[in-house]
PDB file of all heavy atoms in Angstrom:
ATOM      1  N   ALA Y 203      19.713  -6.343  13.820  1.00 48.00           N
ATOM      2  CA  ALA Y 203      19.497  -4.909  13.597  1.00 48.00           C
ATOM      3  C   ALA Y 203      19.762  -4.150  14.889  1.00 48.00           C
ATOM      4  O   ALA Y 203      20.359  -3.082  14.885  1.00 48.00           O
ATOM      5  CB  ALA Y 203      18.079  -4.654  13.117  1.00 48.00           C
ATOM      6  N   SER Y 228      -7.001   5.224   0.486  1.00 55.00           N
ATOM      7  CA  SER Y 228      -7.226   4.055  -0.356  1.00 55.00           C
ATOM      8  C   SER Y 228      -7.879   4.455  -1.672  1.00 55.00           C
ATOM      9  O   SER Y 228      -7.773   3.739  -2.658  1.00 55.00           O
ATOM     10  CB  SER Y 228      -8.059   3.010   0.387  1.00 55.00           C
ATOM     11  OG  SER Y 228      -9.152   3.625   1.007  1.00 55.00           O
ATOM     12  N   PRO Y 231      -4.267   6.217  -5.102  1.00 69.00           N
ATOM     13  CA  PRO Y 231      -3.056   5.376  -5.081  1.00 69.00           C
ATOM     14  C   PRO Y 231      -1.766   6.172  -5.269  1.00 69.00           C
ATOM     15  O   PRO Y 231      -0.712   5.586  -5.435  1.00 69.00           O
ATOM     16  CB  PRO Y 231      -3.262   4.414  -6.263  1.00 69.00           C
ATOM     17  CG  PRO Y 231      -4.620   4.674  -6.789  1.00 69.00           C
ATOM     18  CD  PRO Y 231      -5.004   6.046  -6.350  1.00 69.00           C
ATOM     19  N   GLU Y 241      10.693   2.163  -2.277  1.00 85.00           N
ATOM     20  CA  GLU Y 241      11.093   0.776  -2.010  1.00 85.00           C
ATOM     21  C   GLU Y 241      12.106   0.276  -3.033  1.00 85.00           C
ATOM     22  O   GLU Y 241      12.991  -0.512  -2.709  1.00 85.00           O
ATOM     23  CB  GLU Y 241       9.863  -0.139  -2.042  1.00 85.00           C
ATOM     24  CG  GLU Y 241       8.948   0.010  -0.861  1.00 85.00           C
ATOM     25  CD  GLU Y 241       9.351  -0.914   0.285  1.00 85.00           C
ATOM     26  OE1 GLU Y 241      10.249  -1.751   0.109  1.00 85.00           O
ATOM     27  OE2 GLU Y 241       8.750  -0.782   1.362  1.00 85.00           O
ATOM     28  N   GLY Y 248      18.778  -3.270   1.653  1.00 75.00           N
ATOM     29  CA  GLY Y 248      18.304  -3.860   2.900  1.00 75.00           C
ATOM     30  C   GLY Y 248      17.638  -2.861   3.826  1.00 75.00           C
ATOM     31  O   GLY Y 248      17.487  -3.115   5.020  1.00 75.00           O
ATOM     32  N   LEU Y 251      10.893   0.463   4.810  1.00 87.00           N
ATOM     33  CA  LEU Y 251      10.118   1.701   4.907  1.00 87.00           C
ATOM     34  C   LEU Y 251       9.122   1.557   6.049  1.00 87.00           C
ATOM     35  O   LEU Y 251       8.292   0.657   6.045  1.00 87.00           O
ATOM     36  CB  LEU Y 251       9.367   1.952   3.593  1.00 87.00           C
ATOM     37  CG  LEU Y 251       8.516   3.224   3.577  1.00 87.00           C
ATOM     38  CD1 LEU Y 251       9.390   4.464   3.597  1.00 87.00           C
ATOM     39  CD2 LEU Y 251       7.612   3.241   2.360  1.00 87.00           C
ATOM     40  N   LEU Y 253       6.038   2.894   7.718  1.00 82.00           N
ATOM     41  CA  LEU Y 253       4.940   3.741   7.272  1.00 82.00           C
ATOM     42  C   LEU Y 253       3.985   4.042   8.423  1.00 82.00           C
ATOM     43  O   LEU Y 253       3.595   3.146   9.158  1.00 82.00           O
ATOM     44  CB  LEU Y 253       4.185   2.990   6.171  1.00 82.00           C
ATOM     45  CG  LEU Y 253       3.059   3.724   5.476  1.00 82.00           C
ATOM     46  CD1 LEU Y 253       3.617   4.853   4.630  1.00 82.00           C
ATOM     47  CD2 LEU Y 253       2.280   2.757   4.612  1.00 82.00           C
ATOM     48  N   ARG Y 280      13.794   5.251  15.514  1.00 79.00           N
ATOM     49  CA  ARG Y 280      13.235   4.198  14.682  1.00 79.00           C
ATOM     50  C   ARG Y 280      13.721   4.265  13.246  1.00 79.00           C
ATOM     51  O   ARG Y 280      13.646   3.298  12.532  1.00 79.00           O
ATOM     52  CB  ARG Y 280      11.719   4.329  14.644  1.00 79.00           C
ATOM     53  CG  ARG Y 280      11.044   4.025  15.918  1.00 79.00           C
ATOM     54  CD  ARG Y 280      10.909   2.543  16.117  1.00 79.00           C
ATOM     55  NE  ARG Y 280       9.937   2.327  17.144  1.00 79.00           N
ATOM     56  CZ  ARG Y 280       8.631   2.324  16.918  1.00 79.00           C
ATOM     57  NH1 ARG Y 280       8.161   2.484  15.711  1.00 79.00           N
ATOM     58  NH2 ARG Y 280       7.808   2.140  17.894  1.00 79.00           N
ATOM     59  N   SER Y 418     -17.845  11.003 -14.264  1.00 97.00           N
ATOM     60  CA  SER Y 418     -18.974  10.078 -14.075  1.00 97.00           C
ATOM     61  C   SER Y 418     -20.237  10.850 -13.697  1.00 97.00           C
ATOM     62  O   SER Y 418     -21.335  10.532 -14.185  1.00 97.00           O
ATOM     63  CB  SER Y 418     -18.643   9.060 -12.975  1.00 97.00           C
ATOM     64  OG  SER Y 418     -17.512   8.300 -13.329  1.00 97.00           O
ATOM     65  N   ARG Y 421     -21.718  12.444 -16.795  1.00 96.00           N
ATOM     66  CA  ARG Y 421     -22.405  11.474 -17.660  1.00 96.00           C
ATOM     67  C   ARG Y 421     -23.742  11.062 -17.044  1.00 96.00           C
ATOM     68  O   ARG Y 421     -24.717  10.855 -17.754  1.00 96.00           O
ATOM     69  CB  ARG Y 421     -21.525  10.239 -17.880  1.00 96.00           C
ATOM     70  CG  ARG Y 421     -20.189  10.614 -18.523  1.00 96.00           C
ATOM     71  CD  ARG Y 421     -19.529   9.397 -19.103  1.00 96.00           C
ATOM     72  NE  ARG Y 421     -20.166   9.033 -20.357  1.00 96.00           N
ATOM     73  CZ  ARG Y 421     -20.160   7.816 -20.871  1.00 96.00           C
ATOM     74  NH1 ARG Y 421     -19.560   6.831 -20.231  1.00 96.00           N
ATOM     75  NH2 ARG Y 421     -20.744   7.564 -22.014  1.00 96.00           N
ATOM     76  N   ARG Y 422     -23.758  10.935 -15.720  1.00 95.00           N
ATOM     77  CA  ARG Y 422     -25.008  10.564 -15.051  1.00 95.00           C
ATOM     78  C   ARG Y 422     -26.066  11.655 -15.252  1.00 95.00           C
ATOM     79  O   ARG Y 422     -27.258  11.381 -15.299  1.00 95.00           O
ATOM     80  CB  ARG Y 422     -24.739  10.313 -13.557  1.00 95.00           C
ATOM     81  CG  ARG Y 422     -25.920   9.719 -12.807  1.00 95.00           C
ATOM     82  CD  ARG Y 422     -25.551   9.325 -11.391  1.00 95.00           C
ATOM     83  NE  ARG Y 422     -24.714   8.137 -11.366  1.00 95.00           N
ATOM     84  CZ  ARG Y 422     -23.432   8.111 -11.062  1.00 95.00           C
ATOM     85  NH1 ARG Y 422     -22.805   9.232 -10.748  1.00 95.00           N
ATOM     86  NH2 ARG Y 422     -22.763   6.979 -11.070  1.00 95.00           N
ATOM     87  N   LEU Y 441      -6.148   4.029 -12.431  1.00 87.00           N
ATOM     88  CA  LEU Y 441      -7.582   4.273 -12.513  1.00 87.00           C
ATOM     89  C   LEU Y 441      -8.030   4.879 -13.836  1.00 87.00           C
ATOM     90  O   LEU Y 441      -9.060   4.494 -14.408  1.00 87.00           O
ATOM     91  CB  LEU Y 441      -7.889   5.239 -11.354  1.00 87.00           C
ATOM     92  CG  LEU Y 441      -9.178   6.027 -11.304  1.00 87.00           C
ATOM     93  CD1 LEU Y 441     -10.315   5.042 -11.071  1.00 87.00           C
ATOM     94  CD2 LEU Y 441      -9.130   7.034 -10.156  1.00 87.00           C
ATOM     95  N   LEU Y 444      -8.682   2.493 -16.557  1.00 91.00           N
ATOM     96  CA  LEU Y 444      -9.729   1.482 -16.339  1.00 91.00           C
ATOM     97  C   LEU Y 444     -11.087   1.964 -16.818  1.00 91.00           C
ATOM     98  O   LEU Y 444     -11.941   1.168 -17.181  1.00 91.00           O
ATOM     99  CB  LEU Y 444      -9.840   1.135 -14.844  1.00 91.00           C
ATOM    100  CG  LEU Y 444      -8.672   0.439 -14.152  1.00 91.00           C
ATOM    101  CD1 LEU Y 444      -9.027   0.168 -12.696  1.00 91.00           C
ATOM    102  CD2 LEU Y 444      -8.355  -0.871 -14.859  1.00 91.00           C
ATOM    103  N   GLU Y 490      -9.345   9.439 -23.993  1.00 98.00           N
ATOM    104  CA  GLU Y 490     -10.662   9.602 -24.634  1.00 98.00           C
ATOM    105  C   GLU Y 490     -11.539  10.716 -24.052  1.00 98.00           C
ATOM    106  O   GLU Y 490     -12.589  11.010 -24.603  1.00 98.00           O
ATOM    107  CB  GLU Y 490     -11.448   8.280 -24.511  1.00 98.00           C
ATOM    108  CG  GLU Y 490     -10.775   7.100 -25.184  1.00 98.00           C
ATOM    109  CD  GLU Y 490     -11.429   5.757 -24.815  1.00 98.00           C
ATOM    110  OE1 GLU Y 490     -12.123   5.689 -23.768  1.00 98.00           O
ATOM    111  OE2 GLU Y 490     -11.245   4.794 -25.571  1.00 98.00           O
TER     112      GLU Y 490
ATOM    113  N   SER G 332      -0.504  -0.432  -7.236  1.00 54.00           N
ATOM    114  CA  SER G 332      -1.118   0.891  -7.224  1.00 54.00           C
ATOM    115  C   SER G 332      -2.468   0.876  -7.919  1.00 54.00           C
ATOM    116  O   SER G 332      -3.308   1.731  -7.674  1.00 54.00           O
ATOM    117  CB  SER G 332      -0.189   1.917  -7.858  1.00 54.00           C
ATOM    118  OG  SER G 332       0.335   1.427  -9.054  1.00 54.00           O
ATOM    119  N   PRO G 335      -6.224  -0.870  -4.665  1.00 69.00           N
ATOM    120  CA  PRO G 335      -6.052  -0.294  -3.334  1.00 69.00           C
ATOM    121  C   PRO G 335      -6.404  -1.263  -2.199  1.00 69.00           C
ATOM    122  O   PRO G 335      -6.479  -0.850  -1.056  1.00 69.00           O
ATOM    123  CB  PRO G 335      -7.020   0.899  -3.336  1.00 69.00           C
ATOM    124  CG  PRO G 335      -7.582   0.985  -4.709  1.00 69.00           C
ATOM    125  CD  PRO G 335      -7.404  -0.349  -5.338  1.00 69.00           C
ATOM    126  N   GLU G 345      -2.926  -0.124  10.673  1.00 85.00           N
ATOM    127  CA  GLU G 345      -2.417   1.103  11.298  1.00 85.00           C
ATOM    128  C   GLU G 345      -3.348   1.603  12.401  1.00 85.00           C
ATOM    129  O   GLU G 345      -2.896   2.157  13.397  1.00 85.00           O
ATOM    130  CB  GLU G 345      -2.252   2.196  10.244  1.00 85.00           C
ATOM    131  CG  GLU G 345      -1.084   1.986   9.318  1.00 85.00           C
ATOM    132  CD  GLU G 345       0.203   2.571   9.886  1.00 85.00           C
ATOM    133  OE1 GLU G 345       0.164   3.226  10.938  1.00 85.00           O
ATOM    134  OE2 GLU G 345       1.253   2.349   9.273  1.00 85.00           O
ATOM    135  N   GLY G 352       1.755   3.009  19.477  1.00 75.00           N
ATOM    136  CA  GLY G 352       3.105   3.443  19.095  1.00 75.00           C
ATOM    137  C   GLY G 352       3.846   2.422  18.243  1.00 75.00           C
ATOM    138  O   GLY G 352       5.063   2.475  18.131  1.00 75.00           O
ATOM    139  N   LEU G 355       4.335   0.192  11.021  1.00 87.00           N
ATOM    140  CA  LEU G 355       4.227  -0.894  10.045  1.00 87.00           C
ATOM    141  C   LEU G 355       5.409  -0.813   9.084  1.00 87.00           C
ATOM    142  O   LEU G 355       5.599   0.203   8.421  1.00 87.00           O
ATOM    143  CB  LEU G 355       2.919  -0.763   9.265  1.00 87.00           C
ATOM    144  CG  LEU G 355       2.682  -1.854   8.219  1.00 87.00           C
ATOM    145  CD1 LEU G 355       2.445  -3.198   8.883  1.00 87.00           C
ATOM    146  CD2 LEU G 355       1.492  -1.495   7.343  1.00 87.00           C
ATOM    147  N   LEU G 357       6.888  -1.872   5.833  1.00 82.00           N
ATOM    148  CA  LEU G 357       6.307  -2.399   4.604  1.00 82.00           C
ATOM    149  C   LEU G 357       7.397  -2.740   3.599  1.00 82.00           C
ATOM    150  O   LEU G 357       8.301  -1.943   3.363  1.00 82.00           O
ATOM    151  CB  LEU G 357       5.386  -1.326   4.023  1.00 82.00           C
ATOM    152  CG  LEU G 357       4.574  -1.701   2.803  1.00 82.00           C
ATOM    153  CD1 LEU G 357       3.522  -2.735   3.159  1.00 82.00           C
ATOM    154  CD2 LEU G 357       3.911  -0.450   2.233  1.00 82.00           C
ATOM    155  N   GLU G 382      17.603  -9.722  11.038  1.00 74.00           N
ATOM    156  CA  GLU G 382      17.979  -8.409  11.557  1.00 74.00           C
ATOM    157  C   GLU G 382      17.058  -7.950  12.680  1.00 74.00           C
ATOM    158  O   GLU G 382      17.147  -6.813  13.127  1.00 74.00           O
ATOM    159  CB  GLU G 382      17.980  -7.403  10.397  1.00 74.00           C
ATOM    160  CG  GLU G 382      18.956  -7.812   9.293  1.00 74.00           C
ATOM    161  CD  GLU G 382      18.868  -6.931   8.057  1.00 74.00           C
ATOM    162  OE1 GLU G 382      18.059  -5.984   8.056  1.00 74.00           O
ATOM    163  OE2 GLU G 382      19.626  -7.191   7.108  1.00 74.00           O
ATOM    164  N   ARG G 384      13.962  -7.061  12.868  1.00 80.00           N
ATOM    165  CA  ARG G 384      13.371  -5.769  12.535  1.00 80.00           C
ATOM    166  C   ARG G 384      11.935  -5.619  13.013  1.00 80.00           C
ATOM    167  O   ARG G 384      11.429  -4.521  13.102  1.00 80.00           O
ATOM    168  CB  ARG G 384      13.356  -5.584  11.024  1.00 80.00           C
ATOM    169  CG  ARG G 384      14.670  -5.410  10.384  1.00 80.00           C
ATOM    170  CD  ARG G 384      15.135  -3.993  10.518  1.00 80.00           C
ATOM    171  NE  ARG G 384      16.226  -3.796   9.593  1.00 80.00           N
ATOM    172  CZ  ARG G 384      16.045  -3.518   8.311  1.00 80.00           C
ATOM    173  NH1 ARG G 384      14.850  -3.354   7.836  1.00 80.00           N
ATOM    174  NH2 ARG G 384      17.080  -3.381   7.535  1.00 80.00           N
ATOM    175  N   SER G 522     -15.874  -1.239 -18.635  1.00 97.00           N
ATOM    176  CA  SER G 522     -15.497  -0.179 -19.582  1.00 97.00           C
ATOM    177  C   SER G 522     -15.263  -0.748 -20.973  1.00 97.00           C
ATOM    178  O   SER G 522     -15.666  -0.153 -21.982  1.00 97.00           O
ATOM    179  CB  SER G 522     -14.233   0.534 -19.101  1.00 97.00           C
ATOM    180  OG  SER G 522     -14.446   1.123 -17.841  1.00 97.00           O
ATOM    181  N   ARG G 525     -18.576  -1.426 -22.668  1.00 96.00           N
ATOM    182  CA  ARG G 525     -19.219  -0.194 -23.141  1.00 96.00           C
ATOM    183  C   ARG G 525     -18.513   0.326 -24.393  1.00 96.00           C
ATOM    184  O   ARG G 525     -19.147   0.842 -25.300  1.00 96.00           O
ATOM    185  CB  ARG G 525     -19.205   0.861 -22.042  1.00 96.00           C
ATOM    186  CG  ARG G 525     -19.947   0.377 -20.786  1.00 96.00           C
ATOM    187  CD  ARG G 525     -20.318   1.528 -19.905  1.00 96.00           C
ATOM    188  NE  ARG G 525     -21.461   2.238 -20.446  1.00 96.00           N
ATOM    189  CZ  ARG G 525     -21.726   3.508 -20.183  1.00 96.00           C
ATOM    190  NH1 ARG G 525     -20.919   4.218 -19.435  1.00 96.00           N
ATOM    191  NH2 ARG G 525     -22.796   4.084 -20.708  1.00 96.00           N
ATOM    192  N   ARG G 526     -17.192   0.210 -24.407  1.00 95.00           N
ATOM    193  CA  ARG G 526     -16.443   0.662 -25.579  1.00 95.00           C
ATOM    194  C   ARG G 526     -16.835  -0.154 -26.809  1.00 95.00           C
ATOM    195  O   ARG G 526     -16.793   0.333 -27.928  1.00 95.00           O
ATOM    196  CB  ARG G 526     -14.939   0.560 -25.296  1.00 95.00           C
ATOM    197  CG  ARG G 526     -14.066   1.210 -26.366  1.00 95.00           C
ATOM    198  CD  ARG G 526     -12.608   1.277 -25.946  1.00 95.00           C
ATOM    199  NE  ARG G 526     -12.377   2.256 -24.902  1.00 95.00           N
ATOM    200  CZ  ARG G 526     -12.066   1.993 -23.646  1.00 95.00           C
ATOM    201  NH1 ARG G 526     -11.928   0.739 -23.258  1.00 95.00           N
ATOM    202  NH2 ARG G 526     -11.886   2.938 -22.778  1.00 95.00           N
ATOM    203  N   LEU G 545     -12.916   2.981  -5.917  1.00 87.00           N
ATOM    204  CA  LEU G 545     -13.034   2.985  -7.364  1.00 87.00           C
ATOM    205  C   LEU G 545     -14.448   2.727  -7.884  1.00 87.00           C
ATOM    206  O   LEU G 545     -14.919   3.390  -8.813  1.00 87.00           O
ATOM    207  CB  LEU G 545     -12.087   1.876  -7.850  1.00 87.00           C
ATOM    208  CG  LEU G 545     -12.139   1.330  -9.252  1.00 87.00           C
ATOM    209  CD1 LEU G 545     -11.732   2.426 -10.214  1.00 87.00           C
ATOM    210  CD2 LEU G 545     -11.192   0.141  -9.369  1.00 87.00           C
ATOM    211  N   LEU G 548     -16.643   5.690  -8.007  1.00 91.00           N
ATOM    212  CA  LEU G 548     -16.213   6.808  -8.848  1.00 91.00           C
ATOM    213  C   LEU G 548     -16.750   6.690 -10.264  1.00 91.00           C
ATOM    214  O   LEU G 548     -16.924   7.681 -10.957  1.00 91.00           O
ATOM    215  CB  LEU G 548     -14.677   6.866  -8.919  1.00 91.00           C
ATOM    216  CG  LEU G 548     -13.892   7.193  -7.655  1.00 91.00           C
ATOM    217  CD1 LEU G 548     -12.403   7.255  -7.981  1.00 91.00           C
ATOM    218  CD2 LEU G 548     -14.350   8.516  -7.068  1.00 91.00           C
ATOM    219  N   GLU G 594     -25.329   0.534  -9.818  1.00 97.00           N
ATOM    220  CA  GLU G 594     -25.949   0.753 -11.133  1.00 97.00           C
ATOM    221  C   GLU G 594     -25.563  -0.261 -12.202  1.00 97.00           C
ATOM    222  O   GLU G 594     -26.144  -0.260 -13.279  1.00 97.00           O
ATOM    223  CB  GLU G 594     -25.558   2.147 -11.657  1.00 97.00           C
ATOM    224  CG  GLU G 594     -25.994   3.300 -10.759  1.00 97.00           C
ATOM    225  CD  GLU G 594     -25.342   4.629 -11.161  1.00 97.00           C
ATOM    226  OE1 GLU G 594     -24.308   4.610 -11.876  1.00 97.00           O
ATOM    227  OE2 GLU G 594     -25.862   5.681 -10.765  1.00 97.00           O
TER     228      GLU G 594
END
Side-chain angles (χ1 to χ4, degrees):
Chain Y
S228 46
E241 287 271 353
L251 180 69
L253 185 69
R280 291 280 196 83
S418 299
R421 301 197 77 205
R422 189 173 287 109
L441 163 68
L444 294 182
E490 299 169 339
Chain G
S332 46
E345 287 273 354
L355 181 68
L357 185 68
E382 301 173 1
R384 291 279 195 83
S522 300
R525 300 199 76 204
R526 189 171 288 110
L545 165 66
L548 294 182
E594 300 168 341

